[in-house]
Amino acid sequence: MKETLDFCKAKASSSTANLGPGFDVFGLGLDLFYDTVSIKKLATNHGKIRVTLQDGNTTIPSVASENTASLSVMKIARKYNIKNDIDINVVKGVPVGLGLGSSAASSAAAVTAFDELFRCELSENQLLDFAAEGEVSSAGVKHYDNVVASLFGGFAIVRTYPTLQFSRINTPKDLILVVCVPKIVTPAKKTKVARSVIPRTIGLEDHTRNLANACMIVSGFQYQDTKLLASGINDIIVEPARKNSIPGYDKIRSNALQSGAMAVTISGAGPSMIALTNSRNDAKRIGKSMEEGFADSKIESQSYVCGVSKGAKVISKH
Ligand code: HSE
Protein backbone atom coordinates (compact mmCIF):
# COMPACT_ATOMS: atom_id res chain seq x y z
CA MET A 1 0.00 0.00 0.00
CA LYS A 2 1.21 3.51 -0.77
CA GLU A 3 2.11 5.66 2.25
CA THR A 4 -0.03 8.70 3.12
CA LEU A 5 1.54 11.97 2.10
CA ASP A 6 1.34 15.42 3.71
CA PHE A 7 3.52 17.31 1.29
CA CYS A 8 4.37 17.23 -2.37
CA LYS A 9 6.45 19.51 -4.58
CA ALA A 10 6.46 19.43 -8.39
CA LYS A 11 8.03 21.49 -11.13
CA ALA A 12 6.96 22.30 -14.67
CA SER A 13 8.66 24.13 -17.50
CA SER A 14 8.02 27.18 -19.63
CA SER A 15 6.56 26.58 -23.07
CA THR A 16 5.89 28.20 -26.40
CA ALA A 17 2.46 27.94 -27.99
CA ASN A 18 1.23 28.15 -31.59
CA LEU A 19 4.57 27.81 -33.46
CA GLY A 20 3.00 30.11 -36.04
CA PRO A 21 -0.03 28.48 -37.66
CA GLY A 22 -0.90 26.14 -34.77
CA PHE A 23 -2.93 28.68 -32.78
CA ASP A 24 -4.28 26.97 -29.64
CA VAL A 25 -3.22 23.60 -31.10
CA PHE A 26 0.60 23.32 -30.92
CA GLY A 27 2.67 23.49 -27.77
CA LEU A 28 6.40 22.98 -27.26
CA GLY A 29 8.01 22.63 -23.83
CA LEU A 30 11.04 24.87 -23.33
CA ASP A 31 13.89 23.71 -21.11
CA LEU A 32 14.48 27.27 -19.99
CA PHE A 33 12.46 28.45 -16.99
CA TYR A 34 10.61 26.41 -14.36
CA ASP A 35 7.85 27.02 -11.83
CA THR A 36 7.84 25.00 -8.63
CA VAL A 37 4.66 24.37 -6.67
CA SER A 38 4.60 22.89 -3.17
CA ILE A 39 1.35 21.70 -1.63
CA LYS A 40 0.96 20.98 2.06
CA LYS A 41 -2.01 19.03 3.40
CA LEU A 42 -3.12 20.53 6.74
CA ALA A 43 -4.78 18.65 9.59
CA THR A 44 -8.00 20.69 9.37
CA ASN A 45 -10.90 20.06 6.99
CA HIS A 46 -12.65 23.29 6.06
CA GLY A 47 -11.83 23.13 2.36
CA LYS A 48 -9.64 26.25 2.67
CA ILE A 49 -6.92 26.90 0.11
CA ARG A 50 -4.18 29.41 0.86
CA VAL A 51 -1.69 30.48 -1.79
CA THR A 52 1.62 32.19 -1.19
CA LEU A 53 4.18 33.36 -3.70
CA GLN A 54 7.69 32.87 -2.45
CA ASP A 55 9.29 35.56 -4.57
CA GLY A 56 6.72 38.12 -3.44
CA ASN A 57 5.91 39.04 -7.03
CA THR A 58 2.87 41.23 -6.68
CA THR A 59 1.74 40.83 -10.29
CA ILE A 60 0.61 37.25 -9.55
CA PRO A 61 -2.69 37.05 -7.70
CA SER A 62 -2.41 35.35 -4.37
CA VAL A 63 -6.17 35.21 -3.96
CA ALA A 64 -6.97 31.50 -4.33
CA SER A 65 -9.85 32.05 -6.72
CA GLU A 66 -7.67 34.11 -9.08
CA ASN A 67 -4.35 32.32 -8.92
CA THR A 68 -3.72 29.92 -11.77
CA ALA A 69 -2.25 27.13 -9.59
CA SER A 70 -4.99 27.23 -6.98
CA LEU A 71 -7.76 27.53 -9.56
CA SER A 72 -6.73 24.17 -10.98
CA VAL A 73 -6.36 22.63 -7.54
CA MET A 74 -9.77 23.93 -6.40
CA LYS A 75 -11.45 22.24 -9.36
CA ILE A 76 -9.87 18.87 -8.57
CA ALA A 77 -10.66 19.18 -4.85
CA ARG A 78 -14.29 20.00 -5.66
CA LYS A 79 -14.63 17.14 -8.10
CA TYR A 80 -13.17 14.58 -5.67
CA ASN A 81 -14.80 16.11 -2.61
CA ILE A 82 -11.45 16.70 -0.91
CA LYS A 83 -12.03 18.92 2.10
CA ASN A 84 -8.55 19.16 3.61
CA ASP A 85 -7.25 22.67 4.11
CA ILE A 86 -4.16 23.12 2.01
CA ASP A 87 -1.28 25.54 1.65
CA ILE A 88 0.07 26.11 -1.83
CA ASN A 89 3.41 27.77 -2.37
CA VAL A 90 4.33 28.88 -5.87
CA VAL A 91 7.89 29.78 -6.77
CA LYS A 92 7.77 31.58 -10.09
CA GLY A 93 10.69 30.89 -12.35
CA VAL A 94 8.85 31.50 -15.61
CA PRO A 95 8.62 35.22 -16.45
CA VAL A 96 5.03 36.42 -16.20
CA GLY A 97 2.99 37.73 -19.12
CA LEU A 98 5.72 37.39 -21.74
CA GLY A 99 4.42 34.53 -23.89
CA LEU A 100 6.33 31.71 -22.21
CA GLY A 101 3.44 29.83 -20.64
CA SER A 102 3.88 31.19 -17.14
CA SER A 103 0.35 30.46 -15.92
CA ALA A 104 0.44 27.02 -17.56
CA ALA A 105 3.68 26.11 -15.78
CA SER A 106 2.14 26.95 -12.39
CA SER A 107 -1.02 24.98 -13.16
CA ALA A 108 0.89 22.00 -14.57
CA ALA A 109 3.13 21.83 -11.50
CA ALA A 110 0.11 22.29 -9.20
CA VAL A 111 -2.01 19.49 -10.68
CA THR A 112 1.01 17.18 -10.74
CA ALA A 113 1.72 17.81 -7.05
CA PHE A 114 -1.93 17.63 -6.00
CA ASP A 115 -2.58 14.41 -7.91
CA GLU A 116 0.38 12.76 -6.17
CA LEU A 117 -0.43 14.18 -2.73
CA PHE A 118 -4.04 13.01 -2.70
CA ARG A 119 -3.46 9.88 -4.82
CA CYS A 120 -6.17 10.96 -7.24
CA GLU A 121 -4.65 8.88 -10.04
CA LEU A 122 -5.93 11.26 -12.66
CA SER A 123 -5.60 10.23 -16.29
CA GLU A 124 -3.39 12.34 -18.56
CA ASN A 125 -6.51 13.91 -20.08
CA GLN A 126 -7.88 14.80 -16.66
CA LEU A 127 -4.56 16.36 -15.62
CA LEU A 128 -4.61 18.37 -18.83
CA ASP A 129 -8.18 19.51 -18.39
CA PHE A 130 -7.69 20.54 -14.76
CA ALA A 131 -4.43 22.33 -15.57
CA ALA A 132 -6.19 24.28 -18.31
CA GLU A 133 -8.64 25.66 -15.72
CA GLY A 134 -5.83 27.93 -14.60
CA GLU A 135 -5.68 29.57 -18.03
CA VAL A 136 -9.12 31.09 -17.57
CA SER A 137 -7.68 33.62 -15.11
CA SER A 138 -5.15 35.01 -17.60
CA ALA A 139 -6.60 34.27 -21.05
CA GLY A 140 -10.33 34.39 -20.29
CA VAL A 141 -10.76 30.95 -21.85
CA LYS A 142 -9.37 27.46 -21.38
CA HIS A 143 -6.66 26.93 -23.96
CA TYR A 144 -4.56 23.80 -23.78
CA ASP A 145 -1.46 24.41 -25.91
CA ASN A 146 0.82 25.70 -23.15
CA VAL A 147 -0.44 23.31 -20.47
CA VAL A 148 -0.07 20.26 -22.72
CA ALA A 149 3.58 21.17 -23.33
CA SER A 150 4.30 21.99 -19.69
CA LEU A 151 2.66 18.83 -18.42
CA PHE A 152 4.02 16.32 -20.90
CA GLY A 153 7.04 18.04 -22.46
CA GLY A 154 8.21 17.95 -26.06
CA PHE A 155 5.94 18.86 -28.95
CA ALA A 156 2.23 18.26 -28.59
CA ILE A 157 -0.88 18.73 -30.67
CA VAL A 158 -4.15 19.20 -28.85
CA ARG A 159 -7.77 19.32 -29.91
CA THR A 160 -10.88 19.88 -27.87
CA TYR A 161 -13.56 18.74 -30.27
CA PRO A 162 -15.32 16.27 -30.30
CA THR A 163 -13.45 15.43 -27.08
CA LEU A 164 -10.23 16.55 -25.46
CA GLN A 165 -7.36 14.69 -27.07
CA PHE A 166 -3.64 15.23 -27.49
CA SER A 167 -0.79 13.65 -29.34
CA ARG A 168 2.92 13.98 -28.52
CA ILE A 169 5.73 13.65 -31.03
CA ASN A 170 9.42 13.40 -30.18
CA THR A 171 11.46 16.39 -31.22
CA PRO A 172 14.51 16.25 -33.52
CA LYS A 173 17.79 16.02 -31.58
CA ASP A 174 19.28 18.98 -33.42
CA LEU A 175 16.40 21.36 -32.70
CA ILE A 176 17.63 24.50 -30.93
CA LEU A 177 15.34 27.28 -29.76
CA VAL A 178 16.41 30.89 -29.41
CA VAL A 179 14.03 32.84 -27.23
CA CYS A 180 14.21 36.62 -26.97
CA VAL A 181 12.40 38.08 -23.98
CA PRO A 182 11.76 41.84 -23.88
CA LYS A 183 12.07 43.58 -20.53
CA ILE A 184 8.61 45.08 -20.55
CA VAL A 185 5.66 44.90 -18.22
CA THR A 186 2.51 43.65 -19.89
CA PRO A 187 -1.06 44.21 -18.65
CA ALA A 188 -2.44 41.65 -16.17
CA LYS A 189 -4.83 40.13 -18.71
CA LYS A 190 -2.37 40.35 -21.60
CA THR A 191 -3.37 37.07 -23.26
CA LYS A 192 -7.03 38.08 -23.18
CA VAL A 193 -6.11 41.37 -24.86
CA ALA A 194 -3.88 39.60 -27.42
CA ARG A 195 -6.77 37.25 -28.25
CA SER A 196 -9.21 40.10 -28.74
CA VAL A 197 -7.34 41.39 -31.84
CA ILE A 198 -7.53 38.09 -33.75
CA PRO A 199 -9.94 38.05 -36.72
CA ARG A 200 -13.12 36.09 -36.00
CA THR A 201 -13.62 34.99 -39.59
CA ILE A 202 -10.98 33.99 -42.11
CA GLY A 203 -10.86 33.49 -45.84
CA LEU A 204 -10.67 30.02 -47.34
CA GLU A 205 -7.32 30.70 -48.99
CA ASP A 206 -5.77 31.89 -45.75
CA HIS A 207 -7.14 28.84 -43.99
CA THR A 208 -5.65 26.54 -46.63
CA ARG A 209 -2.24 28.20 -46.44
CA ASN A 210 -2.12 28.06 -42.67
CA LEU A 211 -3.31 24.47 -42.60
CA ALA A 212 -0.62 23.44 -45.10
CA ASN A 213 2.03 25.15 -42.98
CA ALA A 214 0.76 23.49 -39.82
CA CYS A 215 0.88 20.10 -41.53
CA MET A 216 4.51 20.72 -42.56
CA ILE A 217 5.34 21.38 -38.92
CA VAL A 218 3.77 18.11 -37.82
CA SER A 219 5.43 16.29 -40.67
CA GLY A 220 8.80 17.78 -39.74
CA PHE A 221 8.44 16.55 -36.15
CA GLN A 222 7.27 13.17 -37.36
CA TYR A 223 10.31 12.79 -39.63
CA GLN A 224 12.61 14.40 -37.06
CA ASP A 225 13.48 16.97 -39.70
CA THR A 226 14.13 20.42 -38.22
CA LYS A 227 14.37 22.10 -41.62
CA LEU A 228 10.99 20.73 -42.71
CA LEU A 229 9.21 21.69 -39.50
CA ALA A 230 10.75 25.16 -39.55
CA SER A 231 9.49 25.64 -43.12
CA GLY A 232 5.93 25.48 -41.79
CA ILE A 233 6.39 28.18 -39.16
CA ASN A 234 4.59 30.91 -41.02
CA ASP A 235 1.22 32.17 -39.83
CA ILE A 236 -0.82 34.51 -41.99
CA ILE A 237 -3.88 34.73 -39.77
CA VAL A 238 -3.06 35.39 -36.11
CA GLU A 239 0.47 36.75 -36.28
CA PRO A 240 -0.26 39.69 -38.62
CA ALA A 241 -3.03 40.78 -36.25
CA ARG A 242 -0.73 40.66 -33.25
CA LYS A 243 2.58 41.90 -34.60
CA ASN A 244 1.83 45.58 -34.04
CA SER A 245 1.74 44.99 -30.32
CA ILE A 246 5.35 43.76 -30.41
CA PRO A 247 7.81 46.65 -30.63
CA GLY A 248 10.32 45.98 -33.40
CA TYR A 249 8.59 42.82 -34.66
CA ASP A 250 9.65 43.20 -38.33
CA LYS A 251 13.23 44.07 -37.44
CA ILE A 252 13.55 41.21 -34.95
CA ARG A 253 12.27 38.81 -37.57
CA SER A 254 14.50 39.99 -40.37
CA ASN A 255 17.56 40.19 -38.10
CA ALA A 256 17.05 36.61 -36.94
CA LEU A 257 16.52 35.29 -40.46
CA GLN A 258 19.60 37.16 -41.73
CA SER A 259 21.61 35.64 -38.87
CA GLY A 260 20.71 32.15 -40.01
CA ALA A 261 17.45 31.36 -38.18
CA MET A 262 15.32 28.75 -39.96
CA ALA A 263 12.10 30.32 -38.69
CA VAL A 264 10.96 33.10 -36.37
CA THR A 265 7.59 33.61 -34.76
CA ILE A 266 5.82 35.15 -31.79
CA SER A 267 6.06 32.94 -28.73
CA GLY A 268 2.45 32.26 -27.74
CA ALA A 269 0.61 35.53 -27.40
CA GLY A 270 3.94 37.41 -27.20
CA PRO A 271 5.71 39.68 -26.68
CA SER A 272 8.66 37.24 -26.56
CA MET A 273 9.87 36.06 -29.94
CA ILE A 274 11.25 32.63 -30.73
CA ALA A 275 13.59 31.50 -33.51
CA LEU A 276 14.60 28.00 -34.58
CA THR A 277 17.97 26.73 -35.71
CA ASN A 278 19.95 23.51 -35.80
CA SER A 279 23.30 25.24 -35.46
CA ARG A 280 24.88 25.83 -32.06
CA ASN A 281 27.24 28.28 -33.77
CA ASP A 282 24.41 30.41 -35.14
CA ALA A 283 22.20 30.31 -32.05
CA LYS A 284 24.01 32.97 -29.98
CA ARG A 285 24.31 35.26 -32.98
CA ILE A 286 20.61 34.87 -33.77
CA GLY A 287 19.78 35.79 -30.17
CA LYS A 288 21.98 38.90 -30.27
CA SER A 289 20.39 39.98 -33.55
CA MET A 290 16.93 39.64 -32.00
CA GLU A 291 18.03 41.74 -29.02
CA GLU A 292 19.21 44.37 -31.51
CA GLY A 293 15.80 44.25 -33.17
CA PHE A 294 14.10 45.07 -29.87
CA ALA A 295 16.78 47.68 -29.11
CA ASP A 296 15.93 49.45 -32.37
CA SER A 297 12.55 50.13 -30.79
CA LYS A 298 14.25 51.18 -27.55
CA ILE A 299 13.30 47.99 -25.75
CA GLU A 300 15.83 46.09 -23.69
CA SER A 301 15.67 42.33 -24.03
CA GLN A 302 17.52 39.16 -23.15
CA SER A 303 17.98 36.20 -25.47
CA TYR A 304 18.35 32.59 -24.36
CA VAL A 305 19.31 29.41 -26.18
CA CYS A 306 17.58 26.25 -25.05
CA GLY A 307 16.33 22.80 -25.98
CA VAL A 308 13.03 21.09 -25.45
CA SER A 309 11.80 20.25 -21.94
CA LYS A 310 10.54 17.02 -20.48
CA GLY A 311 7.18 16.98 -18.71
CA ALA A 312 6.22 18.15 -15.23
CA LYS A 313 7.51 16.02 -12.40
CA VAL A 314 7.31 15.47 -8.67
CA ILE A 315 10.60 16.54 -7.08
CA SER A 316 9.91 15.87 -3.42
CA LYS A 317 7.25 14.35 -1.17
CA HIS A 318 6.80 13.08 2.36
N1 HSE B 1 -2.66 29.96 -28.01
C1 HSE B 1 -2.61 30.99 -27.03
C2 HSE B 1 -2.70 32.33 -27.72
C3 HSE B 1 -1.32 30.90 -26.27
O1 HSE B 1 -1.97 32.52 -28.69
O2 HSE B 1 -3.49 33.17 -27.30
C4 HSE B 1 -1.19 31.93 -25.19
O3 HSE B 1 0.06 31.75 -24.54
Side-chain angles (χ1 to χ4, degrees):
M1 208 177 85
K2 287 182 176 173
E3 90 268 40
T4 308
L5 297 173
D6 294 317
F7 173 87
C8 187
K9 189 197 278 195
K11 70 170 197 171
S13 77
S14 47
S15 58
T16 188
N18 305 338
L19 289 179
F23 176 74
D24 279 0
V25 175
F26 293 164
L28 182 69
L30 299 176
D31 183 17
L32 185 54
F33 303 110
Y34 287 82
D35 275 7
T36 307
V37 175
S38 306
I39 306 185
K40 201 194 270 177
K41 192 196 287 177
L42 306 178
T44 46
N45 291 290
H46 306 295
K48 280 207 182 113
I49 297 183
R50 196 174 67 120
V51 196
T52 52
L53 301 157
Q54 197 160 304
D55 64 357
N57 188 339
T58 49
T59 58
I60 317 269
S62 51
V63 178
S65 58
E66 287 172 26
N67 177 275
T68 163
S70 47
L71 263 174
S72 294
V73 160
M74 278 159 70
K75 290 275 177 177
I76 313 178
R78 198 169 303 154
K79 172 109 196 248
Y80 291 89
N81 206 20
I82 294 168
K83 294 273 193 263
N84 297 74
D85 295 336
I86 57 172
D87 269 355
I88 304 176
N89 180 250
V90 183
V91 179
K92 289 299 300 174
V94 183
V96 179
L98 296 174
L100 298 170
S102 166
S103 50
S106 291
S107 295
V111 299
T112 303
F114 191 86
D115 181 48
E116 182 76 14
L117 182 59
F118 287 94
R119 308 277 191 217
C120 300
E121 300 191 355
L122 298 176
S123 67
E124 288 188 329
N125 260 20
Q126 285 174 311
L127 284 169
L128 178 59
D129 209 17
F130 283 120
E133 292 288 349
E135 296 292 36
V136 181
S137 70
S138 59
V141 288
K142 267 165 112 178
H143 64 90
Y144 295 80
D145 43 5
N146 288 110
V147 276
V148 76
S150 246
L151 265 174
F152 307 118
F155 172 69
I157 305 163
V158 66
R159 72 171 175 183
T160 53
Y161 189 84
T163 54
L164 181 62
Q165 189 179 14
F166 73 93
S167 174
R168 268 190 85 263
I169 310 179
N170 285 337
T171 52
K173 288 202 177 22
D174 64 355
L175 175 62
I176 299 168
L177 293 321
V178 183
V179 184
C180 195
V181 186
K183 294 183 182 164
I184 52 181
V185 178
T186 53
K189 303 271 177 194
K190 177 223 66 185
T191 304
K192 197 171 176 187
V193 176
R195 294 174 80 86
S196 69
V197 303
I198 300 169
R200 300 290 126 181
T201 52
I202 56 169
L204 189 60
E205 260 181 49
D206 286 355
H207 157 75
T208 307
R209 281 173 60 188
N210 252 34
L211 179 63
N213 284 338
C215 291
M216 288 305 162
I217 294 176
V218 174
S219 187
F221 277 111
Q222 198 68 48
Y223 289 114
Q224 302 285 288
D225 182 338
T226 299
K227 213 166 157 196
L228 178 62
L229 79 87
S231 76
I233 299 185
N234 187 13
D235 167 30
I236 56 166
I237 297 169
V238 176
E239 193 143 338
R242 282 179 167 172
K243 67 176 209 168
N244 290 337
S245 61
I246 297 174
Y249 169 91
D250 288 319
K251 191 82 176 115
I252 297 159
R253 219 180 116 75
S254 60
N255 280 4
L257 292 172
Q258 271 165 26
S259 304
M262 291 171 153
V264 195
T265 189
I266 301 172
S267 181
S272 294
M273 296 283 291
I274 186 162
L276 276 73
T277 178
N278 61 359
S279 156
R280 282 254 151 235
N281 286 340
D282 289 352
K284 271 235 145 53
R285 195 174 60 238
I286 295 168
K288 284 283 160 234
S289 78
M290 293 167 85
E291 287 175 12
E292 281 160 22
F294 272 118
D296 257 26
S297 294
K298 312 235 170 323
I299 301 287
E300 234 191 290
S301 64
Q302 173 77 53
S303 62
Y304 303 88
V305 175
C306 70
V308 172
S309 67
K310 299 203 164 65
K313 71 169 194 207
V314 169
I315 48 177
S316 101
K317 58 183 176 177
H318 53 75

